């Protein structure tokens, strides 16, 4: 009996070894760059591959992980004006060259030009905004060599490995980088110095399923705001309450706004329920008063009104249709006030005052079926501005009420006071496209020490058919009106990544010594419950001042 099993057992061991070896990082070889100031990079998630660009790696075959690549200047290689790349090797090596699948495009190196290389990885790397990348191994002897001296067009140097390395050929099935288009700037992984350094945080969720206070919350958290009063953090998240025994989608319909407190932004206590949605589905397809317009409540933003000496709350109430996407539709922004005066009245209770923004004759098609989808007010001099948002836009009003597209955009409203009336700035004719042209959600505004306005926001998921940054982002403004291109914070470089989809930052709270706390929501796809995390970042004041000068031009 044993004699019959043993060969099968050995075969399984060999097969397991082969699969394991296939996914083991290849052994790197050292090299020296001759007569150039090219930088190197570590071939890994978010690596910046080309100088003078915003392109970054967002997917890489495990065999390449941790190898040392060379950051080539994008434009000169695309134009064929680059100087030859010379490398010196202390031993025989194989140079791993990435060739983009851009046939008949003179700006890119063509595969037939790599005459002395072997294709080892099809679709081996995903680089934002660029075509799929095949990886070739080119053998070089010990000594100094010019890499692909007679070829033109852009390629990537992804690493150098020892010549005796066994490189198994396979299709790594990494996605087309053009799905991540337009490209975006990842903080610390570009030509620019980072404004914020990730200095650490909790390596697991700080509020998760089963913790005290989460009873009756089926789906976890999404959105809202955290503020700090004295030594206490106050969080007002959207609680995706749902009901036991009811489908997961209902977590997003029957919602609550909770009030939580903490002394360290790590250990949280639930204090009360501020608001409760009805959870009632719509009976018509359009924005009709027959429907319950407070079926779902989201995105509660507390703001202290110094003049009135009390806390105001701004929040979003939706109509919810069970079948038509997006199910959350025709958002209305409500304002409420704490019945307890003073800064310590933040816990309320709150009383509703009325609607400050809603769909109507002032709406624009870009606000879409979901707009008005969020609101955050902030002061600039004697005036107040507020980010408001739209989603699932209509190409024209002829598409109303069901034929919506994709896009998550923001624009500004303006008022002379927090009470309103609020008007869409410039009649809301166009959303702000300078931040990111496809996805900006739930911006929260504060000011840096030099007066720059900063808004942190949800940068959009990598999931559900979307190929977005999957990181929280920030944008800067000198005047509170014109906003810069977004930068994104890859916090998983310093914090264990317990999430699959990053969602919304709830704050940017200064703690002294240029350290800031960010509390955020994220999604672990293995769970129905969406947890909450926290991370700390440190501001670089030199970069802050350079940003101010840049935005002042």
């Amino acid at each position: 009996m044993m004699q019959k099993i043993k060969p099968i057992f050995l075969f399984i061991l060999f097969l397991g070894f082969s699969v394991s070896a296939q996914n083991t990082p290849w052994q790197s070889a050292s090299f020296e760059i001759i007569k150039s100031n090219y930088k190197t990079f570590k071939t890994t998630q978010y690596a910046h591959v080309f100088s003078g660009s915003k392109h970054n790696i967002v997917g890489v075959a495990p065999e390449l992980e941790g190898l040392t690549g060379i950051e080539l200047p994008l434009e000169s290689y695309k134009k064929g004006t680059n100087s030859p790349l010379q490398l010196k090797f202390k031993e025989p090596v194989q140079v791993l060259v990435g060739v983009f699948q851009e046939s008949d495009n003179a700006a890119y190196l063509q595969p037939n030009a790599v005459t002395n290389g072997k294709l080892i990885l099809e679709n081996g790397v995903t680089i934002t905004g660029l075509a799929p990348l095949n990886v070739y191994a080119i053998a070089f002897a010990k000594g100094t060599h010019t890499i692909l001296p007679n070829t033109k067009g852009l390629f990537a140097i992804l690493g150098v490995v020892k010549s005796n390395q066994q490189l198994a050929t396979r299709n790594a099935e990494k996605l087309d980088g053009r799905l991540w288009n337009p490209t975006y700037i990842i903080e610390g992984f570009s030509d620019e110095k980072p404004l914020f350094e990730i200095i650490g945080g909790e390596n697991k969720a700080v509020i998760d399923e089963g913790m005290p206070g989460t009873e009756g919350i089926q789906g976890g958290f999404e959105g809202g705001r955290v503020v700090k009063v004295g030594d206490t953090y106050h969080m007002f998240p959207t609680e995706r309450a749902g009901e036991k025994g009811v489908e997961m989608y209902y977590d997003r319909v029957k919602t609550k706004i909770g009030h939580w407190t903490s002394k360290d932004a790590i250990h949280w206590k639930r204090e009360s329920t501020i608001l409760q949605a009805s959870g009632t589905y719509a009976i018509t397809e359009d924005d009709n008063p027959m429907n319950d317009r407070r079926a779902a409540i989201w995105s509660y933003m507390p703001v202290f009104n110094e003049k009135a000496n009390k806390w105001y709350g701004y929040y979003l109430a939706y109509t919810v249709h069970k079948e038509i996407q997006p199910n959350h539709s025709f958002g209305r922004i409500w304002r409420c006030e704490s019945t307890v005066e003073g800064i310590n009245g933040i816990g309320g209770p709150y009383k509703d005052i009325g609607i400050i923004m809603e769909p109507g004759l002032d709406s624009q098609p870009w606000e879409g079926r979901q707009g008005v989808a969020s609101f955050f007010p902030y002061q600039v001099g004697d005036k107040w501005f507020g980010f408001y948002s739209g989603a699932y836009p209509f190409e024209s009003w002829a598409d109303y009420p069901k034929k919506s597209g994709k896009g998550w955009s923001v624009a500004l409203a303006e008022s002379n006071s927090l009470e309103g009336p609020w008007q869409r700035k410039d009649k809301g004719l166009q959303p702000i496209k300078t931040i990111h042209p496809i996805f900006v959600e739930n911006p929260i505004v504060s000011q840096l020490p030099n007066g720059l306005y900063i808004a942190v926001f949800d940068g959009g998921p990598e999931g559900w058919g979307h190929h977005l940054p999957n990181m929280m982002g920030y944008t800067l403004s000198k005047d509170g009106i014109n906003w810069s291109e977004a930068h994104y914070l890859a916090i998983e470089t310093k914090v264990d990544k317990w999430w699959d989809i990053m969602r919304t930052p709830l704050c940017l709270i200064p703690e002294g010594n240029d350290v800031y706390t960010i509390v955020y929501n994220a999604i672990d796809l293995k769970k129905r419950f969406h947890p909450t995390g926290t991370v700390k970042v440190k501001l670089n004041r030199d970069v802050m001042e350079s940003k101010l000068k840049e935005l002042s031009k």
Side-chain angles (χ1 to χ4, degrees):
M1 187 70 175
M2 289 296 292
Q3 292 301 314
K4 292 182 180 180
I5 292 175
K6 189 173 182 180
I8 298 174
F9 178 65
L10 288 174
F11 173 73
I12 292 172
L13 280 176
F14 178 76
L15 180 62
F17 172 78
S18 298
V19 172
S20 175
Q22 171 179 283
N23 294 318
T24 301
W26 290 329
Q27 187 178 2
S28 64
S30 63
F31 61 88
E32 179 184 351
I33 304 173
I34 305 297
K35 296 180 181 179
S36 97
N37 58 356
Y38 292 172
K39 298 178 183 177
T40 59
F41 64 85
K42 186 177 180 181
T43 303
T44 189
Q45 182 85 343
Y46 305 133
H48 187 53
V49 186
F50 303 111
S51 60
S53 81
K54 294 184 285 187
H55 302 293
N56 292 83
I57 291 175
V58 290
V60 59
E63 296 94 319
L64 304 173
E65 187 73 38
L67 296 179
T68 301
I70 301 173
E71 193 176 297
L72 303 179
L74 180 84
E75 289 303 322
S76 63
Y77 270 81
K78 289 179 76 172
K79 294 175 182 176
T81 58
N82 56 285
S83 56
L85 173 64
Q86 287 189 309
L87 302 179
K88 183 177 181 180
F89 309 116
K90 297 180 179 179
E91 60 181 315
V93 300
Q94 299 177 80
V95 176
L96 306 183
V97 175
V99 178
F100 295 97
Q101 297 175 35
E102 284 276 4
S103 59
D104 302 321
N105 186 338
Y108 295 87
L109 180 69
Q110 296 301 301
N112 56 16
V114 191
T115 55
N116 57 340
K118 175 188 175 184
L119 177 62
I120 54 169
L121 287 175
E122 293 182 69
N123 304 303
V125 179
T126 300
I127 299 177
T128 56
L130 296 176
L133 199 71
N134 291 337
V135 181
Y136 291 78
I138 305 176
F140 289 92
K142 177 182 176 181
T144 300
H145 299 271
T146 300
I147 308 303
L148 298 173
N150 300 314
T151 57
K152 299 292 184 182
L154 185 69
F155 57 89
I157 300 292
L158 298 166
V160 178
V161 299
K162 296 179 180 296
S163 64
N164 59 359
Q165 186 90 171
Q166 295 299 312
L167 308 180
T169 301
R170 72 181 184 100
N171 187 338
E173 299 181 342
K174 296 301 172 183
L175 296 178
D176 188 335
R178 289 170 295 195
L179 295 170
W180 285 262
N181 194 23
T183 53
Y184 45 84
I185 300 171
I186 304 173
E187 192 88 334
F189 292 89
S190 73
D191 296 328
E192 302 179 31
K193 291 183 178 179
L195 178 63
F196 292 105
E197 177 192 357
I198 314 298
I199 59 174
E202 296 302 295
N203 291 319
K204 59 183 179 180
V206 296
I207 306 180
D208 209 342
E209 186 174 16
M211 290 183 176
T214 64
E215 301 85 359
I217 303 173
Q218 311 306 308
F221 305 91
E222 167 54 15
R225 190 186 186 195
V226 175
V227 297
K228 192 176 184 182
V229 178
D231 63 351
T232 303
Y233 299 87
H234 296 262
M235 178 169 63
F236 297 84
T238 302
E239 298 175 347
R240 305 169 71 254
E243 287 184 3
K244 287 186 177 180
V246 179
E247 63 194 34
M248 185 185 303
Y249 177 75
Y250 197 56
D251 299 350
R252 305 177 64 238
V253 182
K254 195 166 186 179
T255 57
K256 298 178 184 178
I257 303 299
H259 175 211
W260 296 66
T261 60
S262 175
K263 294 294 185 181
D264 57 7
I266 298 171
H267 304 90
W268 291 90
K269 177 186 177 184
R270 193 178 192 278
E271 302 286 352
S272 66
T273 298
I274 300 295
L275 294 161
Q276 169 74 65
S278 71
T280 304
Y281 285 108
I283 58 177
T284 73
E285 297 176 342
D286 59 347
D287 185 15
N288 192 310
M290 294 175 64
N291 299 322
D292 189 330
R293 289 172 166 172
R294 295 171 64 91
I297 291 175
W298 289 75
S299 192
Y300 187 90
M301 300 292 176
V303 177
F304 187 68
N305 186 336
E306 294 184 358
K307 187 176 180 180
N309 191 34
K310 64 174 63 175
W311 285 91
Y312 287 4
Y314 298 83
Y315 66 91
L316 167 63
Y318 279 127
T319 298
V320 181
H321 198 284
K322 199 167 187 178
E323 284 84 32
I324 302 172
Q325 294 291 335
N327 304 95
H328 291 68
S329 304
F330 313 125
R332 285 170 163 79
I333 305 300
W334 284 74
R335 184 175 76 83
C336 60
E337 295 181 1
S338 175
T339 60
V340 180
E341 291 191 353
I343 195 74
N344 293 318
I346 187 169
Y350 286 80
K351 64 177 181 180
D352 280 324
I353 303 301
I355 295 169
I356 65 163
M357 288 192 76
E358 62 182 326
L361 295 177
D362 294 334
S363 300
Q364 297 297 328
W366 69 263
E367 295 177 30
R369 184 175 171 87
Q370 200 168 66
V372 180
S374 71
F375 186 82
F376 186 87
Y378 59 96
Q379 191 169 15
V380 178
D382 295 330
K383 201 167 184 65
W384 287 87
F385 292 95
F387 271 115
Y388 71 96
S389 67
Y392 296 88
F394 301 120
E395 190 170 320
S396 71
W397 286 123
D399 293 336
Y400 175 88
K402 295 193 296 183
K403 188 180 176 183
S404 58
K406 293 294 179 68
W408 294 259
S409 300
V410 294
L412 292 177
E414 55 187 340
S415 174
N416 292 323
S417 71
L418 274 171
E419 292 81 6
W422 290 88
Q423 304 291 335
R424 289 164 171 81
K425 182 175 169 53
D426 301 324
K427 298 183 178 180
L429 292 175
Q430 295 293 333
I432 299 169
K433 292 296 186 181
T434 54
I435 303 171
H436 188 280
I438 297 173
F439 197 105
V440 179
E441 195 168 67
N442 295 318
I444 294 177
V445 181
S446 57
Q447 283 185 278
L448 296 176
N450 66 350
L452 273 178
Y453 294 89
I454 181 168
V456 293
F457 64 93
D458 175 356
E462 163 52 20
W464 308 316
H466 305 301
H467 297 283
L468 291 160
N470 206 28
M471 291 173 274
M472 63 183 79
Y474 75 82
T475 174
L476 301 172
S477 174
K478 183 178 183 295
D479 57 11
I481 298 171
N482 300 287
W483 291 87
S484 71
E485 182 177 15
H487 285 58
Y488 297 88
L489 301 175
I491 68 172
E492 61 265 45
T493 58
K494 295 290 179 66
V495 175
D496 289 349
K497 187 180 179 185
W498 52 263
W499 64 90
D500 297 295
I501 296 176
M502 174 59 65
R503 292 312 315 263
T504 307
L506 278 62
C507 59
L508 183 69
I509 296 176
E511 307 288 10
N513 298 319
D514 296 327
V515 173
Y516 290 77
T517 294
I518 300 174
V519 179
Y520 61 93
N521 300 133
I523 297 173
D524 179 345
L525 291 174
K526 297 184 294 296
K527 299 178 179 180
R528 177 174 178 171
F529 192 98
H530 296 179
T532 296
T534 186
V535 67
K536 291 192 181 296
V537 299
K538 188 173 180 65
L539 175 71
N540 185 319
R541 286 192 174 240
D542 291 338
V543 175
M544 177 183 69
E545 293 302 333
S546 69
K547 295 288 185 184
L548 178 60
K549 291 178 182 177
E550 180 182 321
L551 293 171
S552 299
K553 293 178 181 177

